Structure formats: C-alpha cells, structure tokens
Amino acid sequence: MIIAGLLLTGGIFTAVVNTTAQADSTSSNEELVAQGRDLFLVSCSFCHGQNGEGIRSENGNQIGPPLVGVGAAAVDFQVGTGRMPLAQPGAQDQVKPVAFDDDEIAALAAYVASLGPGPAIPDESDYSIEGLSDKEREAAISRGGQIFLTNCTACHNFQGSGGAMPHGGKAPSLSETSPRHIYEAMLTGPGQMDSFSNGNLSPDEKRDVIAYLVSLRDMPEYGGFGLGGLGPVVEGLAAWLVGLGLLVGAAVWIAAHTTRTSKKKVDA
Amino acid sequence: MDTSKVANSNTTTAATPAKPSRAAAAATWADERLGIASMAKKNLRKVFPDHWSFMLGEIALWSFVVLLLTGVFLTLWFTPSMGEVQYNGTYEQLRGVHMSEAFASTLRISFDVRGGLLMRQMHHWAAMLFVASMMVHLLRVFFTGAYRKPRELNWVIGSLLLLLGTLEGFTGYSLPDDLLSGTGIRAADGFIKASPVVGTYMSFFLFGGEFPGESIIPRLYTIHVLLIPGLLLALIAAHMLLLVYHKHTQWPGPGRTEKNVVGFPMLPVYAAKAGGFFFIVFGVTALLGGLLSINPVWKYGPYDPSKVTAGSQPDWYMGWPDGALRIMPGLETHIWGYTISWNVMLPILVLPLLMFTILMLLPFIDAWITGDKREHHLLERPRNAPTRTALMVALMTMYGLFWIAGGNDIIAIKLHSSINQITYFLRMAVFVGPVIAFLITRRWCIALQRKDNETLLHGYETGIIMRSPEGGYTERHLPLPESRAYTLTARERDPSINGGPEGTDANGIPAPDAGRLAGFRHRVRTLWYADNVQKPTVAELEEGHHHAEHEHELQEGVEGHAADGHQFDGHHLVEDETLGRH
C-alpha cells in the first residue's frame, strides 16, 4: 500500500508539478528517489543525518529534526519557499531565494517521502475552487473567511499580513504565498505553526481558507491605500505624520501670510 | 480728487444719502430686534496675535466640527443593536455569515450607502486628528508657559477635553462590533474586572450581565453620540469663552506688554484665516478619508469571543496604556482566595489616572514651586524655563516609549527583531529614558540661554571673516537690531532664591507662610531655577557693547605696523612684537 501510495504520489507530482521536465517525467520513482538521495546527502544530511534520522548536539539540542514521516508536502514547502537549506538556525527560518529547481525539489520530496509515510504534495484540484459553481464559490469563500478568522488570524493577522512570535520568530505574511504552499503549511505545520490535519480541518475547509485568502488579493482596496494591512499602529502613524503634518504645515503657512490689499487708498 | 465714496454731490444740489444696501438693511432689521450691533462691534474687532503655534488648538476645533458633520451622517444608517442577523449585503466574503445588526449596518454604510465609506473613514481620521491636535496644542501651551495665572482653569478644562476626547474615541471605535473593536471591549472588560473588590460587579453593571451580553453596543452608542459630545461641546464653549475673556497670550516684542494684545482683528483677518483653516482641515480629512484605508471592518469580520487577530491594537491615543500593559511583568497577589492583578491594575488603571492627575495639576505644581502669583500674558520661550521644558520632554519621552511598547509586535516583524528583547529593553527604558531626556533637555535649554546672552553682549556672527595684519583670522560680530535685542531681553529674571533651607529669609527671619513644607519647597525651588542663565544687566550690556566697539576698531583699523607674517615662525626675532588681541 505504502509503495503504491508513494508511486502514486510521485506519479501525480511528476505529472502536475514537473510538466516542463519532459525527460524526467518518464523516469520512475526509484530513479527520482535516488536522485533525491544524492541531493540530500550533499545539501541536507549535515543537519538532518545521512538517512534523515535527525541530529542532536552533545547537550541534546536538536540540530536538524528527523524527516521520517514528514512527507513530500513538508519538503515541497520548506525547500520550495526557500526556507531550506537553512542559512543558520534560529527562531525564524528565513525565506530566501529558492536554492533548487523544480526537478530537484521533486527529487528531494520523493526521497524524503520514501523514508516513511507522510502527507503528499497536494494536487491543484485540492486547493482550487475552479470546479465549483458561482454560488458554491461564494459560500466557500465566506466559510473560508470564518475558518481563517477562527484559526489563523491570531498569529497571521486579520488579512494575513503576519504577526510576531516569541524570541524573534514571526508568523509570515501570506500575501505572496502560493496556494500550494499555504495548503502544505496547513498540512505539515512548519516551524511554530500548528498542523491542521484532515481530521482537524477537512480538505474542503483548507481549500476554502485558501479561496478566502486569494479573494482578498483579488479584492480592490475599498478604503484606499491599505497601509500594509497592519492595523491601528500604522493608522496612528499616518494620522500623526501625514494628517497632522499637513495641518501644522497649513497653520505655518496661514500664519506666515498676513493681510494684503491691492486697493488704493481713497483720498477724501 | 475722487469724492464719490463720500458724497454724491459737490455742487449746489444737496447730497442725498445712498440707499442702504440689502446687507445693511438686513443687519439693521436684525439689530433692531436682537441688539447684536453693540456686541458685534466689540467682538468682531477683537484682536488676536499671529503665530502658527496659536492655531494648533484650532485644528482640534475644526476636526471636532468635521466629526459632528460626519457623525450625524453615520447615525442616519447605523443600527446600535446586538441583535443577530444574517448578512446578505454587497460584500461577498461575509455573505451568509451571522453577525450583529451593528456590524451589518456598518457594512451597509461601507458598501451600500453612497459616500458612506468616505464618511466613515473621514470620521475616523478626524477623530485621530482631533486627539492628536489637542495634544500638540497642550504641548504648545505648556512649553510657552501659557497655562500660568490666570489660565490655570482653562488648562484643566483642556485636560478634561483630552480625556473626554480619548473616551469618545474609544466608545466610537467600539461601535462597529467588528473583531478588533470587540477585542477592545473584551480588554476593557478585563481592565474593569481587575479593579479590586468591585471589579466584577462593575463589569456586570456595565455589560448588563455576563460579557458580552446584548447591552454594551446600545449603551456605548448613547455615550458616544449623546453624553460625551454634549460634555465636549459644553467644555469647548467654556474653553473658548475663557480664551476670549482672558484674551490670547502673545510673544514678547516691541510694543507688546502684559496689558495689550498686538495682532489683527477678528474681522476681516481672523474670520478669513480661521474660516479658511476650517476648509483646510476638512480638505485634509477628506483627502485622508478618500485615499487612506482606516479600520477596514470588513476584513476583521464580526466579533466573536472565540476569535482574535494579531496586531490587535487600540487607536493611537489608547496605545500608551496598552504599551504599559504589554511590558508589565506578570505580578499577582493571592489573598484569601482572591486575586489582585497588579499586572493589569498598575498599567491600565493606576498609571493613566496618575498621569492624568499630574497633567491637570501641572499649573498648580508650577505655581507652588515658583511661588509666582502674578498674571502672565506674555509667553516664555521654552529655553527660558529649562526645568519646565525638560519636565515635559521627560513626560513625552515616557509617553513615546509606552507607545513603542504598544506597537512592539509590529516593530518586531518590521524590524526583524525579537519581541522579547524589545519588551525587556522597554521595561528599563521607560524609567531611564525620561531621566536622560530631562538632563539633556535642561542642559540644552541652558546652552541656548547662554547663546542668547552671547549674541546680546557680543553681537551676532556676520559671516565676514577679518584677517588681522598679523595674519590672524576673526569673525566679525555686529550688534543685534534693537527690536531683536528688545525681544530677547523682554523676559523676566528668575526670582532670587531668598531664604535659608528652613523657610527663613537671609536674615534668619521665618517666612510668613512657613509651613511644614516650606523647607521642601525651598529645596525644590532651588533645583527648579538651578543653573538658569539670567539675561544680562544694563551694565553688562553696556560693557559688552563697549567691548564690541573696541573690537571693531581693532579689526577695522590698521594697527600702526604691518606684519609680514613671519614673526612667529622663527624667521626673525619676536621680542619687540606683540600678538594682536582678539
């Protein structure tokens, strides 16, 4: 079953994600895993161990966690958003330019998936509302909004602009994140994030959350420039710097211009 | 000669008065019934001095007018009710969601009422500017000493206006019942409950039962549109009547005394200036409301106690107690099964009340320390009251640091720093920062006083570099223009600190008012004036001018022998040579 699942995962992945690489699409999963293992040994094993078993330092701190069972989705998220390979350990895994191309990420994902069963990379049909009718889409978006406000805004802010976590960590902004990566983050819970398993948030509910976030991006800024969507702190800053700045400037201007007249004095 | 303005005849036919204009006829009609002419005659020509800083309070006044106008518009559609409805309006993302009528009507104003969103945003921006301009006005009044006798009570009224404006803002942004405002009310509920003994009873009283209940929005609405605006209007009226009664303060200068006001009359000058300023304030508010999004309630969604969003902050004027709350260590005491939450009580209940009390008492504290019971209508430059200026800068620094604490999460994500480190730093900085600011400001003021004296005694720097025959360089100084010198010296000398430490004068005679605090007051007063620089005396000024004239002679005249410039570099002996004095 597992091997069948893995085969299926790899197959779907090569079919969906890896469409440009025609040469690789014919390669079997074993070849992909082998290719991934080579990359893994070079780029990941220093922290995660040569077999993905994880490495602890002498005093018991985790350098790199074990990757057995994290699944292809975790790899696709971590490597695909540039978080891995890590530049340095710390409170927050920095988002950097992606170090691998799509084929290499697919190979790495296939290799890590082969270590133990875990969540697979979602198919586009999992997070897209393309197939729904207009009415269903609207319902999905408003349901997703409520799920988002219940489960996500406490860290990610009301419109996904991001928020602070302890000791320099942060819940990143979701405004640029691709739907696939959002779905994978919910599945795998990277960093300090909770994982929302399918029992917790059903696949449809995850899809709705993504649909809501995408709808926010497509939505016009009804009130004008959004000031970063960060809430009252930035609004207060704007009130003081822009609003009061303009008005005090106007006061200076008014006081600097005093009475003038072009009338001639009448002699009488 | 053109006489047409005066009479229509210069010949044998008698001149007839021109028919009164329609405006004059209307004015006569009104005056015969209301008797406004004599009142208007006096007040329309009332003189106000001209300075940009005197118009800061006007910003508050005009933004209050904008608030009244836009607020009335909003009440026409807003439903202050917590009754639950299903939203079926224009905004797609919330269609089908259950929410309170208050939130649904806010969405309706934002999306379905023509101009509604603009009005909502103008109302909110005007509220931010209202409180902000009151604060900068307060700073101007304090820094220039305009709160001194006879204006102490107007200071108190102004402080009350600031407090009421803040409360009005809080009740206002709580009304839409969106996620952010609900979180704010939830926090307020927590603050009330943190009051010892009576906290829970007060909370139940306010909310009409358990939080959130169904009463809070209608109650806040009544407070927001009726109670506080009424108080604000009454206090603004009192504030302005006192302004007219006391007459406006002015900067010292030639012709300006404690007994007159030099400036322009209300009509036509200030009517035009102030009227124009209203339109500028309205325009800036409209610009902000039209271009910058504020409080996008549709993104917050309806309030639900199970939800919260990162970046939940109050509006800026409530930000500093929020900041104090954020950096307060978690102290609690448990007595006989009851919890006293110092961690909430101290920063939210005690600190703002304490700060506000200090603010209201400032004029009286100042008068008590200085013992100054005279009337003051001429303003003081901030530098000429170094301790007072430094005191307010210290308070501002503390306020600013609490502000930073209130935005610690936004600062952490935008500056990629640790929210914990920011918090630890601020816990120390709110105590140390004001002290540093006080010391720096005080020395800065004293340095500026010294610079004023320097200019008075030795003239201003002309930028003309003189080379003496010896090759030395000096900058030529010229005496200040009379009017400038007058303005600089128009300030008073600080009173000399008479008396010994125990409330006795220099001869050991006890002061008549010597009470138990006399010794303490003497020490504080000594510190208050310590190191201040007094303006030069007449003798010093004359000596300074004499010295300057002498210097000019030295600089301008030829000194009798030309120097080749090699005297001092070893080319020939210098025994007979003297260095030029500068």
Side-chain angles (χ1 to χ4, degrees), chain B residues 96-109:
Chain B
V97 174
H98 286 257
M99 56 182 64
S100 68
E101 283 185 89
F103 188 68
S105 61
T106 309
L107 287 180
R108 183 164 167 236
I109 291 171

Side-chain angles (χ1 to χ4, degrees), chain A residues 11-96:
Chain A
I12 289 169
F13 184 75
T14 42
V16 175
V17 181
N18 222 356
T19 45
T20 50
Q22 289 304 319
D24 282 349
S25 66
T26 53
S27 66
S28 68
N29 193 43
E30 281 80 13
E31 282 174 51
L32 205 59
V33 168
Q35 191 195 342
R37 183 164 189 275
D38 290 343
L39 287 167
F40 186 87
L41 287 174
V42 173
S43 301
C44 319
S45 60
F46 188 81
C47 300
H48 289 293
Q50 295 198 358
N51 297 304
E53 74 277 21
I55 288 184
R56 279 182 188 279
S57 66
E58 275 182 10
N59 55 15
N61 288 334
Q62 194 83 51
I63 291 177
L67 298 182
V68 179
V70 300
V75 178
D76 191 54
F77 176 83
Q78 297 282 0
V79 183
T81 58
R83 283 175 172 76
M84 294 288 153
L86 213 54
Q88 60 176 36
Q92 182 63 37
D93 303 345
Q94 299 300 329
V95 173
K96 304 183 293 297

Side-chain angles (χ1 to χ4, degrees), chain A residues 146 153 158-159 167 225 235, chain B residues 291 293 295 299 307 310 420:
Chain A
Q146 293 308 299
T153 48
F158 59 92
Q159 69 169 68
H167 299 292
F225 178 57
E235 291 164 0
Chain B
L291 296 179
S293 175
N295 197 18
K299 287 180 187 164
K307 295 172 187 164
N420 301 56

Side-chain angles (χ1 to χ4, degrees), chain A:
Chain A
M1 261 316 276
I2 292 165
I3 290 170
L6 288 172
L7 282 172
L8 191 67
T9 310
I12 289 169
F13 184 75
T14 42
V16 175
V17 181
N18 222 356
T19 45
T20 50
Q22 289 304 319
D24 282 349
S25 66
T26 53
S27 66
S28 68
N29 193 43
E30 281 80 13
E31 282 174 51
L32 205 59
V33 168
Q35 191 195 342
R37 183 164 189 275
D38 290 343
L39 287 167
F40 186 87
L41 287 174
V42 173
S43 301
C44 319
S45 60
F46 188 81
C47 300
H48 289 293
Q50 295 198 358
N51 297 304
E53 74 277 21
I55 288 184
R56 279 182 188 279
S57 66
E58 275 182 10
N59 55 15
N61 288 334
Q62 194 83 51
I63 291 177
L67 298 182
V68 179
V70 300
V75 178
D76 191 54
F77 176 83
Q78 297 282 0
V79 183
T81 58
R83 283 175 172 76
M84 294 288 153
L86 213 54
Q88 60 176 36
Q92 182 63 37
D93 303 345
Q94 299 300 329
V95 173
K96 304 183 293 297
V98 182
F100 298 97
D101 64 24
D102 289 350
D103 300 340
E104 292 167 333
I105 295 171
L108 276 171
Y111 170 67
V112 171
S114 76
L115 299 175
I121 296 166
D123 187 79
E124 195 176 347
S125 62
D126 290 336
Y127 49 79
S128 166
I129 51 169
E130 288 297 320
L132 301 181
S133 70
D134 280 356
K135 201 152 182 72
E136 286 171 330
R137 276 188 208 182
E138 197 184 290
I141 287 173
S142 82
R143 188 167 56 239
Q146 293 308 299
I147 296 167
F148 179 74
L149 285 160
T150 309
N151 294 289
C152 316
T153 48
C155 301
H156 283 287
N157 156 305
F158 59 92
Q159 69 169 68
S161 305
M165 301 296 284
H167 299 292
K170 63 175 180 182
S173 164
L174 304 176
S175 55
E176 308 277 317
T177 318
S178 72
R180 191 175 91 223
H181 288 143
I182 297 175
Y183 197 102
E184 288 166 346
M186 284 191 275
L187 266 181
T188 60
Q192 300 181 54
M193 183 169 157
D194 304 312
S195 64
F196 295 88
S197 66
N198 285 346
N200 189 334
L201 277 188
S202 73
D204 278 359
E205 289 171 327
K206 290 195 186 73
R207 175 201 66 193
D208 295 348
V209 169
I210 292 166
Y212 176 72
L213 284 170
V214 172
S215 81
L216 284 186
R217 292 178 201 173
D218 298 340
M219 186 173 82
E221 284 281 6
Y222 292 111
F225 178 57
L227 299 172
L230 288 167
V233 171
V234 188
E235 291 164 0
L237 202 67
W240 274 88
L241 296 183
V242 182
L244 209 64
L246 283 172
L247 288 174
V248 171
V252 173
W253 178 76
I254 291 174
H257 291 75
T258 193
T259 47
R260 273 181 304 207
T261 177
S262 53
K263 269 191 201 159
K264 287 219 174 74
K265 204 177 169 190
V266 179
D267 284 327

Side-chain angles (χ1 to χ4, degrees), chain B residues 341-378:
Chain B
S341 299
W342 302 108
N343 49 356
V344 180
M345 207 170 89
L346 287 181
I348 286 288
L349 300 177
V350 177
L351 178 77
L353 268 182
L354 187 74
M355 290 282 267
F356 188 72
T357 313
I358 292 174
L359 181 74
M360 280 220 287
L361 290 180
L362 278 174
F364 307 102
I365 297 173
D366 176 319
W368 184 78
I369 294 175
T370 57
D372 189 350
K373 302 277 184 280
R374 294 164 304 165
E375 286 209 358
H376 292 280
H377 299 284
L378 287 178

